[in-house]
Amino acid sequence: MLIGFKLGNFRSFLNEQSFSYVTSSDRAHESTHCVRTGMKSIPRLSKSAIIFGPNGSGKTNFVIGLETLRDLVLHSTAYSEQQYAERYTPFQFGPSAREATRFEIDVLLEGVRYRYSVAYDAQQIWSERLLVYKTGKAQRWFERNHDEVSRSEIWQPFSPNFNGPREMWRKATRAKALFLTTAAQLNSEQLKPLFHWFEHCMEIIFPSDTADVARIAASVQDPRLKGRTLKLLQAVGIDVEDVRIADPDRAISELGAARTVNAGHLPHVNGRLQVEFLYARGGSNPIWLESEYEAAGIHRLFGLFGPLIGTIENDKLLVIDEFDANLHPLIARFLVKFVNDPIISKGRSQLLLVSHNTTLMDLDMLRRDEIWLTELDESHASILSTVLRSSPRKHEQIAKGYLRGRYGAVPSIQPQFDALVNEAKLEGGKRGRAKCAS
């Protein structure tokens, strides 16, 4: 499970900002939303969190930060110099544009806590460290730091609890590659659980991903996943009876001839992948509708249900940017409750959403420490915090207070709007006088 994530000097984030699933002492939704860890330092972790905030306040940049760290861990040894440099996107205003980006992630896997941190710029890795907690005391498995004076790397002694050909892994680690990546790919058994978590247990979805018909087609090829997805669609009032990959031969398809789709081969019409949805309305013949004629919301739901089911079944972390795009508020609420339902989701799956849907700011379905806010400070840098900083009451109407500006993190509209209205009136008056004069 994800415990927390920190980032600094990345895109709109200047000073280090922290996100955490560690719960407060609040007992609300304890039996459904919280998972006990068995560790004194972090007794409970939350299963869900939602980030709110005005447009341009850094919500998507936070998600991109998670994605960037994941990609660095998985692929740093394979990057070209240009690909590596593209991962460096610091805060652009001031001296920070030449300073290192910093990430730290805290993960709990099978009772072992891993706290991994890295700092880098476009030229090299500046620091990298892994702390492992098997008991209350941290074991520093490895740590490296770039020394600017000697222009060399300083490696701290490896922990005696970290086994394997460590010197070989160290010598194989390039200045622009992570030791974690290098050692894991060179068969470090002790680092495999953490590397595996990055590779298989964190899924990140952006709006364009759920609009990709290829992702829908991948779900269609798994009969069990397709069946569960169709049931969920029907549960939210969308009467899709079936979904299939369309046959490229339209004439044969229209005659209803059954064709077999070979594994790994997805048919295209005019170079584009085609998926069809079956509707069987009462009193009429069943009709297959091509995906291009289907509502965007159907694509969105079909693209979300597969990852949601996979998250619950495999104890994954699912991160969704612009979660409420093309979703009715009631369906959005249903999906959040779906992940937190103790009967459906019995494991350690987690959900992290980015949303503008204030109906989700409901203490009947979220804990106060699960509501996060982003806003810009005076230097136009992103600030991340929970709504708890404003000490809301246990039964407070969070959404109402938020829209009134009680917790901050809302767009400042009125002053600019008044200026635009006055400007429009002034321009209108000038045009009116000009017409009268002519």
Side-chain angles (χ1 to χ4, degrees):
M1 297 183 74
L2 178 64
I3 298 172
F5 177 61
K6 297 179 182 180
L7 73 171
N9 197 29
F10 179 80
R11 291 182 170 245
S12 62
F13 290 89
L14 175 56
N15 298 317
E16 185 177 83
Q17 300 296 308
S18 300
F19 169 84
S20 176
Y21 275 111
V22 179
T23 64
S24 65
S25 59
D26 190 353
R27 312 293 286 189
H29 305 296
E30 182 179 17
S31 62
T32 56
H33 289 223
C34 302
V35 175
R36 293 198 172 275
T37 65
M39 303 184 73
K40 290 183 179 180
S41 57
I42 44 168
R44 300 183 309 176
L45 294 176
S46 181
K47 294 176 64 177
S48 58
I50 305 181
I51 302 175
F52 300 90
N55 297 103
S57 61
K59 300 183 301 299
T60 296
N61 285 339
F62 178 83
V63 176
I64 294 175
L66 272 171
E67 182 188 48
T68 300
L69 176 58
R70 181 190 64 180
D71 289 350
L72 279 169
V73 169
L74 296 182
H75 308 299
S76 66
T77 56
Y79 286 150
S80 66
E81 290 199 4
Q82 180 179 348
Q83 289 173 324
Y84 173 84
E86 289 172 351
R87 270 65 189 173
Y88 176 63
T89 54
F91 188 79
Q92 290 296 309
F93 303 99
S96 58
R98 298 179 297 277
E99 296 175 355
T101 289
R102 303 174 301 280
F103 292 132
E104 180 177 286
I105 196 162
D106 211 348
V107 183
L108 181 64
L109 305 174
E110 301 295 332
V112 179
R113 182 179 182 180
Y114 300 83
R115 180 179 290 175
Y116 176 72
S117 58
V118 60
Y120 69 99
D121 62 13
Q123 282 71 47
Q124 64 206 23
I125 304 295
W126 279 88
S127 66
E128 184 184 10
R129 184 180 69 174
L130 177 62
L131 300 179
V132 178
Y133 300 78
K134 292 190 174 182
T135 59
K137 187 177 180 180
Q139 303 171 7
R140 187 183 62 193
W141 280 13
F142 61 80
E143 181 175 359
R144 64 194 274 212
N145 294 278
H146 180 81
D147 182 64
E148 183 63 15
V149 176
S150 64
R151 296 184 179 276
S152 62
E153 284 194 330
I154 307 299
W155 288 78
Q156 299 299 322
F158 291 106
S159 168
N161 299 293
F162 179 46
N163 303 316
R166 302 169 303 183
E167 282 302 312
M168 182 192 76
W169 297 333
R170 182 185 66 79
K171 292 177 181 178
T173 303
R174 295 182 290 106
K176 296 182 179 180
L178 298 177
F179 177 81
L180 173 59
T181 315
T182 305
Q185 292 178 344
L186 292 175
N187 300 318
S188 169
E189 292 296 327
Q190 288 177 294
L191 294 180
K192 279 185 178 179
L194 181 58
F195 190 84
H196 180 273
W197 184 85
F198 277 104
E199 187 173 19
H200 299 290
C201 297
M202 176 168 58
E203 184 168 3
I204 300 174
I205 297 178
F206 293 95
S208 58
D209 296 329
T210 53
D212 184 2
V213 179
R215 292 177 65 95
I216 299 177
S219 299
V220 171
Q221 292 189 103
D222 183 339
R224 180 173 172 274
L225 181 58
K226 182 180 81 168
R228 296 198 66 182
T229 301
L230 289 171
K231 287 181 179 179
L232 283 174
L233 283 173
Q234 292 160 9
V236 297
I238 298 172
D239 297 325
V240 175
E241 297 291 331
D242 199 359
V243 62
R244 70 183 183 187
I245 300 172
D247 193 288
D249 188 339
R250 285 181 177 271
I252 296 177
S253 178
E254 289 175 357
L255 291 173
R259 302 281 296 234
T260 300
V261 179
N262 295 324
H265 174 72
L266 301 180
H268 295 67
V269 176
N270 296 326
R272 291 188 300 115
L273 183 67
Q274 292 292 312
V275 174
E276 295 178 339
F277 298 88
L278 176 65
Y279 290 88
R281 304 287 165 82
S284 62
N285 294 326
I287 296 176
W288 286 96
L289 288 181
E290 292 180 358
S291 57
E292 60 190 86
Y293 299 113
E294 191 53 88
I298 305 297
H299 287 185
R300 177 73 170 166
L301 284 171
F302 215 100
L304 288 178
F305 280 154
L308 276 170
I309 294 169
T311 295
I312 290 172
E313 292 182 345
N314 299 293
D315 292 344
K316 295 167 58 176
L317 166 67
L318 178 61
V319 184
I320 306 176
D321 186 34
E322 298 293 347
F323 168 66
D324 48 289
N326 298 316
L327 293 184
H328 189 279
L330 291 179
I331 294 180
R333 289 171 65 90
F334 166 81
L335 294 181
V336 174
K337 290 181 178 179
F338 180 79
V339 171
N340 286 312
D341 189 294
I343 298 176
I344 296 172
S345 180
K346 298 179 181 180
R348 299 191 168 200
S349 58
Q350 290 177 300
L351 194 62
L352 175 57
L353 308 177
V354 168
S355 178
H356 292 286
N357 182 358
T358 56
T359 67
L360 298 174
M361 287 181 162
D362 186 345
L363 296 185
D364 287 336
M365 61 181 299
L366 284 177
R367 294 165 50 89
R368 291 175 296 172
D369 52 20
E370 294 174 340
I371 300 174
W372 289 76
L373 303 173
T374 57
E375 57 187 326
L376 299 180
D377 63 13
E378 298 81 5
S379 61
H380 294 278
S382 295
I383 303 296
L384 177 68
S385 63
T386 70
V387 76
L388 279 175
R389 71 178 182 183
S390 300
S391 302
R393 298 182 302 275
K394 289 186 177 181
H395 302 291
E396 188 167 318
Q397 292 182 323
I398 301 293
K400 189 175 181 179
Y402 172 72
L403 292 175
R404 288 181 174 179
R406 166 159 157 63
Y407 318 112
V410 292
S412 178
I413 297 175
Q414 194 61 43
Q416 290 84 350
F417 179 74
D418 288 343
L420 288 172
V421 170
N422 292 332
E423 183 179 343
K425 287 180 178 178
L426 181 62
E427 289 297 323
K430 289 180 179 178
R431 288 195 297 268
R433 289 191 296 272
K435 286 183 180 180
C436 291
S438 62

